[in-house]
Amino acid sequence: IIRTTCFSMEDSIQKLMINGHRALEFSLNKLEQQLRRNLIGDAKRTFDRFEWALKRHFLIEEKAIFIFLNQENGKEISSTFNLMQEHGNLLELLKIVKEEINFHGTADVSRLKESLLDHSRFENEEFYPRLDKELSYSQKEEILEKIEKSVKSE
């Protein structure tokens, strides 16, 4: 097989997803700073980009990784179910922050930030390293290809 993707097997699932988590954390920190400095217009734009990036990240995780794992003899089904529930909870917190920004011109992002960091920490330190260790080369390659297709289709 000739690999035409920009990812390689040297790019572990963990490495790719950590990069995504770092970008989300950076954006959320930027939003938090803008809100503290009362830069509401900037904060609204940053929030919109953060919201899009977070939803895109969840979609990639769910479509490229979680569904694949569940199709592979139910591997990690309880972990993926819990992570998808956390995605739902994070999206609810995101909605609250959006409403606060739009209606009050400010928001407390601390709950969202804490929840997102806890979620990312579990994925970065436990879930993705375990997948990189337990999945075969071909399984990881299939996941990496699905991630790339998700990224390219935007």
Side-chain angles (χ1 to χ4, degrees):
I1 282 182
I2 296 174
R3 193 169 176 86
T4 58
T5 62
C6 63
F7 299 124
S8 69
M9 284 311 293
E10 292 148 19
D11 290 324
S12 67
I13 297 168
Q14 178 190 22
K15 182 179 175 183
L16 289 175
M17 300 317 289
I18 283 176
N19 289 339
H21 291 158
R22 285 184 183 147
L24 290 169
E25 290 170 25
F26 176 82
S27 185
L28 189 53
N29 286 334
K30 182 177 178 180
L31 172 64
E32 189 175 40
Q33 290 170 2
Q34 290 168 336
L35 289 169
R36 265 195 237 121
R37 294 173 36 209
N38 207 28
L39 301 170
I40 302 309
D42 292 341
K44 284 182 177 183
R45 284 186 293 279
T46 298
F47 178 85
D48 288 343
R49 286 190 297 271
F50 173 76
E51 179 182 37
W52 168 247
L54 184 64
K55 288 179 177 180
R56 180 179 139 252
H57 181 81
F58 287 168
L59 181 68
I60 289 169
E61 283 184 330
E62 292 172 7
K63 299 294 182 190
I65 300 170
F66 299 169
I67 289 176
F68 172 84
L69 293 174
N70 290 340
Q71 290 171 346
E72 291 288 309
N73 301 322
K75 283 185 180 177
E76 300 292 339
I77 199 160
S78 64
S79 291
T80 57
F81 179 74
N82 290 338
L83 290 171
M84 288 177 78
Q85 279 188 310
E86 287 180 18
H87 287 181
N89 294 338
L90 286 162
L91 291 173
E92 284 299 315
L93 292 172
L94 187 72
K95 182 179 173 185
I96 291 167
V97 169
K98 184 176 191 168
E99 290 172 357
E100 288 176 357
I101 291 172
N102 288 334
F103 295 116
H104 304 293
T106 190
D108 179 4
V109 299
S110 60
R111 279 186 55 214
L112 174 61
K113 186 175 181 178
E114 181 181 336
S115 296
L116 182 62
L117 291 174
D118 286 345
H119 176 80
S120 295
R121 194 174 302 113
F122 171 76
E123 287 182 342
N124 295 347
E125 295 174 7
E126 295 181 40
F127 186 70
Y128 291 122
R130 188 170 63 242
L131 293 185
D132 280 326
K133 182 180 177 184
E134 294 177 1
L135 294 177
S136 70
Y137 178 91
S138 63
Q139 290 171 318
K140 285 191 275 187
E141 184 173 50
E142 186 174 340
I143 287 173
L144 292 171
E145 287 173 357
K146 286 182 179 188
I147 291 170
E148 182 180 27
K149 283 179 187 174
S150 297
V151 170
K152 280 186 175 180
S153 67
E154 297 177 356

